[in-house]
Amino acid sequence: KVKLALYEKAASKFNSNRAYNNIAAIKLQEGKTGEAKSALNKMSEKTASYYNNMGVVAVKQGDLAKGYEYFEVAQGAGSEVKYNMGTVKVKEGDYPTAVEMFGSNQTFNAALAKLLAGDVDGALSTANQVEEPDASVDYLKAIIGARQKNFDMIITNLKSSIEKDSAFRDRAKKDMEFRDYADDSNFQSVVK
């Protein structure tokens, strides 16, 4: 909130492109895509960072092709551009390319791409190295457990996921990844 207030003050006082870009980045983190796009549209100079953030806006609005076009133009904005291109490749189902684009990043998206590309062990290794694992990471690890037929891993990670975000309880009840365990009393006690 403090950063946002400072960026907004700098943007209004100095008409700063950098401040508008930083406002957009914060708004994207908050899930306020429209506000992020509005801040970006106030920039008088279109930098590589502008195109990277516009790509994120386009992807969040469901326009993968336009997002990828923006990312291609934004190549000078740093490693996050390639990472963002990887998220598009995951959504398009091109998992091997996504894995390549995520590189050595230890994130949920990188672990998911490895799992979808068939590298279960690599997915687990990456998921275990996520710095601040949220409910999604724990849930992914439960799915990895199901694919490895490791029931303890399923239960441990489902419990953790549901404790962090109760919405995963209903998701687990319907998830075909856990179909072989749906009648197990331990599984049922976790998702009830």
Side-chain angles (χ1 to χ4, degrees), residues 75-95:
Q75 289 299 310
S79 61
E80 62 269 5
V81 176
K82 194 170 187 180
Y83 185 91
N84 289 338
M85 293 171 91
T87 63
V88 172
K89 291 302 179 184
V90 168
K91 291 175 186 256
E92 291 177 342
D94 186 354
Y95 309 125

Side-chain angles (χ1 to χ4, degrees), residues 47-52 70-82:
T47 63
S49 294
Y50 162 85
Y51 288 108
N52 183 51
Y70 280 127
F71 295 142
E72 286 178 325
V73 174
Q75 289 299 310
S79 61
E80 62 269 5
V81 176
K82 194 170 187 180

Side-chain angles (χ1 to χ4, degrees), residues 1-18:
K1 290 182 179 184
V2 172
K3 281 184 182 181
L4 180 60
L6 292 171
Y7 293 143
E8 287 174 338
K9 184 133 180 119
S12 67
K13 187 169 183 171
F14 304 109
N15 195 27
S16 168
N17 285 322
R18 195 169 183 183

Side-chain angles (χ1 to χ4, degrees), residues 29-49:
Q29 289 173 346
E30 293 175 343
K32 298 176 180 175
T33 309
E35 291 178 34
K37 187 174 184 178
S38 176
L40 290 167
N41 286 333
K42 293 176 183 175
M43 292 176 66
S44 59
E45 182 184 340
K46 309 307 185 210
T47 63
S49 294

Side-chain angles (χ1 to χ4, degrees), residues 72-136:
E72 286 178 325
V73 174
Q75 289 299 310
S79 61
E80 62 269 5
V81 176
K82 194 170 187 180
Y83 185 91
N84 289 338
M85 293 171 91
T87 63
V88 172
K89 291 302 179 184
V90 168
K91 291 175 186 256
E92 291 177 342
D94 186 354
Y95 309 125
T97 301
V99 168
E100 181 183 318
M101 290 182 159
F102 289 140
S104 62
N105 284 290
Q106 307 298 327
T107 63
F108 169 82
N109 286 333
L112 176 63
K114 287 178 182 178
L115 181 65
L116 294 172
D119 182 5
V120 179
D121 293 335
L124 179 58
S125 176
T126 299
N128 282 335
Q129 294 180 58
V130 173
E131 281 189 35
E132 295 179 29
D134 61 7
S136 296

